[in-house]
Amino acid sequence: MPKKNISFYALLGILSLGSYSGYDIKKKIEKEVGYFYKVSNGQIYPMLKKMVCDNLASFVIERNEDNINKKIYRIEDKGLSVLKEWLTSPTEMESDNELLLKIYFGSILDVRKNIDLVEKFKDYKKKNIEAYNEIARHFNLSTIKELPDYYSYFTLRFGQIVAQAYVDWSNEIIDILNDIDKRSFQG
Amino acid sequence: MPKKNISFYALLGILSLGSYSGYDIKKKIEKEVGYFYKVSNGQIYPMLKKMVCDNLASFVIERNEDNINKKIYRIEDKGLSVLKEWLTSPTEMESDNELLLKIYFGSILDVRKNIDLVEKFKDYKKKNIEAYNEIARHFNLSTIKELPDYYSYFTLRFGQIVAQAYVDWSNEIIDILNDIDKRSFQG
DNA sequence: CTGGACATGTAAATCGTTACATGATTCA
DNA sequence: TGAATCATGTAACGATTTACATGTCCAG
């Protein structure tokens, strides 16, 4: 059980959504979360093997429509609890893909847990924005004289604009999640 | 001369802005670009050593105000040309930090080269947005029935919102750079 | 005289990519 | 028969982190 190996939890998460072969997992990741997360064969196959060793998953060999044998992996109870543990463990907010993967697998947890996660992400990014604004104050476009200061300002602006986009996304997602949460109490 | 080792070019880039010790470089990176790029001692010191070996940099030992010896590294002509080569080489648009580092060191190149770079980044992200919109079309909030589909939608929204922020940033920066470019022709 | 900041470094482990090998099946 | 896709896998390498060792100097 690795500590922060995201690829490991990504595979486990995919298997929590259904049973797939290594090949299918790769395709699914490329298609559905490929824009923020990537994985290579050099990781997938050894990891699946290790998961079976550790009783986190099992496999059966199936013959597909093309008459080709595939190892179809299925998550086991132990695997699911390891995944849940990760989903509820502290999140490294500085790299987006850990958060995005956790949200992508969010259906495993109850809605309120996901709201908390996005809420924390939002708070973190709001603090970032405050820090950037503080730097930006001593850093006004009209007062810049040296060329390197312009470029340094550009990366700061990137930080500001992207962090604000993170906050906007968080607000939108929190609203929807609250709505889902309310409806689940009604129904 | 590594091919895609970003850390290497980050150090070289810092040295293009001034002469620093390994310790100073780390502090400077943490302070100025720390929110999008990180580097550890385990990378800095061996790399600086190798740079000296390869005649990309040199160092002198100086005693600072605290009477402590420091190795102050200085970029050499060969180092500067290797850096310029990287700055003008194709950029991996999928991870932001390569672009941001290149922009941060942008003052080394002429303004038009930087405009081109941001322009390419913008075009790339606009294509991303189109691709996300295509997926979003078959994926309407009001029609979602299953919980996993909500979460899958959330990561897609993240992609859309952040990519749009990238485009907004690009537009802002391109405008300023065009302004700088114009002024440099006038003056 | 001790803790903390300064300063340089290394070894080991981990994480991830690249490039390949292997073999089945299908279709032209 | 040969190319293309499906499918599983590994070896080597490269990048990065972690955890440590070492030593100086200064302030309390």
Side-chain angles (χ1 to χ4, degrees):
Chain A
M1 253 76 54
K3 258 198 170 150
K4 57 163 280 194
N5 190 336
I6 289 180
S7 302
F8 172 86
Y9 295 107
L11 297 196
L12 213 48
I14 294 288
L15 290 178
S16 79
L17 301 173
S19 293
Y20 304 97
S21 68
Y23 193 84
D24 294 337
I25 291 173
K26 181 132 191 274
K27 292 279 164 195
K28 199 175 163 70
I29 286 178
E30 275 167 8
K31 195 187 150 210
E32 286 174 39
V33 296
Y35 75 93
F36 67 83
Y37 178 73
K38 302 207 178 335
V39 72
S40 65
N41 285 350
Q43 289 174 281
I44 288 178
Y45 291 105
M47 269 183 192
L48 286 173
K49 197 182 249 182
K50 206 178 171 290
M51 278 181 197
V52 173
C53 257
D54 297 342
N55 293 311
L56 305 175
S58 59
F59 71 89
V60 288
I61 293 172
E62 271 181 24
R63 222 173 171 76
N64 72 356
E65 58 281 4
D66 296 322
N67 278 332
I68 286 180
N69 286 332
K70 306 175 71 164
K71 286 188 180 177
I72 307 292
Y73 289 85
R74 208 182 76 118
I75 195 164
E76 294 293 327
D77 289 348
K78 197 179 161 192
L80 205 60
S81 74
V82 166
L83 179 64
K84 276 184 186 164
E85 210 184 293
W86 175 68
L87 287 173
T88 52
S89 72
T91 305
E92 178 64 61
M93 296 301 184
E94 275 165 81
S95 73
D96 307 333
N97 60 13
E98 183 173 345
L99 178 98
L100 286 175
L101 277 175
K102 282 185 176 178
I103 290 300
Y104 186 76
F105 303 130
S107 59
I108 294 162
L109 303 179
D110 49 73
V111 176
R112 290 238 45 93
K113 287 254 168 61
N114 287 294
I115 295 173
D116 287 349
L117 179 57
V118 180
E119 209 88 70
K120 270 181 193 133
F121 180 69
K122 180 184 156 186
D123 290 346
Y124 183 86
K125 293 300 172 184
K126 281 178 95 171
K127 272 176 199 150
N128 281 171
I129 292 175
E130 279 168 42
Y132 300 154
N133 289 347
E134 190 52 44
I135 304 169
R137 250 191 285 284
H138 308 269
F139 211 155
N140 214 301
L141 240 197
S142 54
T143 65
I144 294 179
K145 289 278 171 278
E146 309 267 6
L147 208 47
D149 288 339
Y150 276 105
Y151 290 100
S152 166
Y153 171 81
F154 295 158
T155 58
L156 178 64
R157 278 299 288 151
F158 188 95
Q160 287 181 311
I161 289 173
V162 173
Q164 186 57 53
Y166 291 165
V167 171
D168 294 343
W169 173 79
S170 300
N171 284 329
E172 187 179 312
I173 271 45
I174 290 167
D175 280 352
I176 299 170
L177 285 172
N178 273 323
D179 218 61
I180 295 170
D181 191 39
K182 249 182 242 161
R183 273 189 282 159
S184 73
F185 276 109
Q186 287 175 353
Chain B
M1 254 72 58
K3 258 202 170 145
K4 57 165 275 192
N5 191 337
I6 289 181
S7 303
F8 172 86
Y9 295 106
L11 297 197
L12 213 48
I14 294 288
L15 290 179
S16 79
L17 301 173
S19 293
Y20 303 98
S21 68
Y23 193 85
D24 294 337
I25 290 173
K26 179 132 192 273
K27 292 281 164 193
K28 198 175 163 69
I29 285 178
E30 276 167 7
K31 197 187 149 210
E32 287 174 39
V33 295
Y35 74 93
F36 67 83
Y37 178 73
K38 299 203 180 337
V39 72
S40 65
N41 286 349
Q43 289 174 280
I44 289 178
Y45 291 105
M47 269 184 192
L48 286 173
K49 197 183 250 180
K50 207 180 169 288
M51 277 180 196
V52 173
C53 257
D54 296 343
N55 294 311
L56 306 175
S58 59
F59 72 88
V60 287
I61 292 172
E62 269 180 26
R63 223 174 171 75
N64 73 354
E65 59 280 5
D66 296 323
N67 278 332
I68 286 180
N69 286 332
K70 306 174 72 164
K71 286 188 181 176
I72 308 293
Y73 289 85
R74 209 181 75 114
I75 197 165
E76 294 294 327
D77 289 347
K78 195 179 162 191
L80 206 60
S81 75
V82 167
L83 178 64
K84 276 183 188 165
E85 209 184 293
W86 176 67
L87 286 173
T88 53
S89 72
T91 305
E92 179 62 62
M93 295 302 185
E94 274 165 83
S95 73
D96 308 332
N97 60 14
E98 184 174 343
L99 178 98
L100 287 175
L101 278 175
K102 282 185 175 178
I103 289 300
Y104 186 75
F105 303 130
S107 59
I108 294 163
L109 302 180
D110 49 72
V111 176
R112 291 238 47 94
K113 286 254 168 62
N114 287 294
I115 295 173
D116 287 348
L117 178 57
V118 180
E119 209 87 71
K120 270 180 193 134
F121 180 69
K122 180 184 155 185
D123 290 346
Y124 183 86
K125 294 300 171 183
K126 281 178 94 171
K127 270 176 199 150
N128 281 169
I129 292 174
E130 278 168 44
Y132 301 153
N133 289 348
E134 190 52 46
I135 304 169
R137 249 191 285 283
H138 307 270
F139 210 158
N140 215 299
L141 240 197
S142 54
T143 66
I144 295 179
K145 290 278 170 279
E146 309 267 8
L147 208 47
D149 289 338
Y150 276 105
Y151 290 100
S152 167
Y153 171 80
F154 295 158
T155 58
L156 178 64
R157 278 300 287 150
F158 188 94
Q160 287 181 311
I161 289 174
V162 173
Q164 186 56 55
Y166 290 165
V167 171
D168 293 344
W169 173 79
S170 300
N171 284 328
E172 187 179 312
I173 272 43
I174 290 168
D175 280 352
I176 299 171
L177 284 173
N178 273 323
D179 219 59
I180 295 170
D181 191 39
K182 249 182 244 160
R183 272 188 283 156
S184 73
F185 276 107
Q186 287 175 352

